[in-house]
Amino acid sequence: KDYVDWVESLFSTQGLHNFEKWRNNFRMKVVDSPFEMEKNLIEIIESGNKSVRILSSYTREWKSREGLDRNHSKKECTFDFDFVDKYGNRYQKYWNNPESYDIFVQGSKNSLMEKDPLCEVGCPYVVRGFDYDYVGILWLKDLVRRGDKWMINFSEACETATNSSRKMAFEEQVALLKSKGLSVKKAKERLEIFPVVANDRNPPYTTAFFRTIVQAYRILFTRAVKGIYVYIQDDETRTYVQDLLKYPIRIMN
């Protein structure tokens, strides 16, 4: 419960400093490289525990949807996750298998997931309602922390089911920028580059879109029973989350 309380407060104005209450019952580590995240998960698998998965929010288009088979045998299939980390290392993964959700969720027989539970990345829709002992999370740049605010990156939010809410929130923000003197073209260009403030005081469509993104992260952060390893791509966001995992500063009167 203490950990879930921490997750619930994470995307509020001010996060909860209660790490001391749950640190001995639930393992959490924030890293700045996806390869470090995987290294920790591989060690768990090598110890004999295959109840391990990699998850991410909807930050990448599902390019492999038409070509990926259960054994990843089609070499021409495009990676969904394909980026270079801060150390210059290229990270490549596919989304969960389009043949059947069971392949990812259960690691079905005669699939690559049976042999390598880390070969695909699960989205919130696929894993909701399922638990694993350990989870690695790829937290990319759809939601970032700037100062004391959460910010939405429209260009990094790619989930097809939220296209309508994303579109309405985007148009809402275009209208706001237009009212401040920007042309529609300049407003759209700005929104594709710079994040916008994300909170419940936003106009209605932006607020709804923010809640959709937050709900996806709530699902990811509550899939593990024993612990999670989180790769946070954005430096400022990573520092903010790491600070919440430090002991609170006690001020003596």
Side-chain angles (χ1 to χ4, degrees), residues 155-173:
S155 60
E156 298 285 338
C158 303
E159 206 272 314
T160 55
T162 62
N163 273 349
S164 59
S165 59
R166 179 193 182 281
K167 182 176 183 294
M168 289 186 289
F170 188 84
E171 290 179 350
E172 190 174 59
Q173 291 297 319

Side-chain angles (χ1 to χ4, degrees), residues 63-253:
K63 297 178 180 179
S64 66
R65 187 171 190 169
E66 302 301 324
L68 189 67
D69 60 33
R70 63 179 54 227
N71 288 304
H72 299 196
S73 63
K74 298 180 180 179
K75 301 301 181 184
E76 70 278 6
C77 192
T78 303
F79 286 105
D80 304 297
F81 293 82
D82 192 348
F83 60 88
V84 176
D85 72 3
K86 64 185 295 183
Y87 303 109
N89 301 308
R90 191 174 184 183
Y91 188 79
Q92 297 177 313
K93 291 285 180 183
Y94 296 112
W95 272 122
N96 37 255
N97 206 288
E99 283 193 18
S100 169
Y101 289 155
D102 289 346
I103 294 173
F104 181 86
V105 171
Q106 299 179 3
S108 300
K109 290 184 178 180
N110 302 316
S111 72
L112 189 58
M113 278 294 295
E114 180 188 18
K115 303 172 185 176
D116 180 9
L118 307 182
C119 70
E120 296 176 5
V121 179
C123 70
Y125 178 82
V126 168
V127 297
R128 59 181 181 177
F130 295 97
D131 295 327
Y132 301 94
D133 284 348
Y134 294 94
V135 160
I137 296 176
L138 297 172
W139 182 340
L140 304 186
K141 294 184 178 180
D142 56 337
L143 190 63
V144 296
R145 187 79 176 186
R146 295 291 180 265
D148 61 349
K149 298 179 176 64
W150 287 106
M151 311 284 283
I152 299 171
N153 272 317
F154 281 102
S155 60
E156 298 285 338
C158 303
E159 206 272 314
T160 55
T162 62
N163 273 349
S164 59
S165 59
R166 179 193 182 281
K167 182 176 183 294
M168 289 186 289
F170 188 84
E171 290 179 350
E172 190 174 59
Q173 291 297 319
V174 168
L176 284 174
L177 292 174
K178 185 180 177 183
S179 70
K180 295 178 181 179
L182 270 69
S183 67
V184 172
K185 180 181 178 182
K186 290 292 184 182
K188 290 181 177 180
E189 289 175 352
R190 179 181 176 84
L191 290 172
E192 290 295 340
I193 299 173
F194 297 104
V196 299
V197 175
N199 57 43
D200 289 344
R201 297 186 299 278
N202 271 322
Y205 293 126
T206 305
T207 297
F209 188 53
F210 170 55
R211 289 176 179 173
T212 297
I213 294 175
V214 166
Q215 179 58 19
Y217 277 99
R218 286 191 183 117
I219 292 171
L220 299 184
F221 271 81
T222 55
R223 293 310 92 206
V225 176
K226 297 181 179 180
I228 62 173
Y229 297 88
V230 187
Y231 163 59
I232 302 180
Q233 192 175 38
D234 180 72
D235 291 340
E236 187 172 342
T237 308
R238 182 172 61 254
T239 298
Y240 173 73
V241 177
Q242 287 174 327
D243 286 345
L244 291 178
L245 299 177
K246 295 177 180 177
Y247 291 109
I249 299 174
R250 302 186 185 282
I251 300 175
M252 303 301 292
N253 294 326

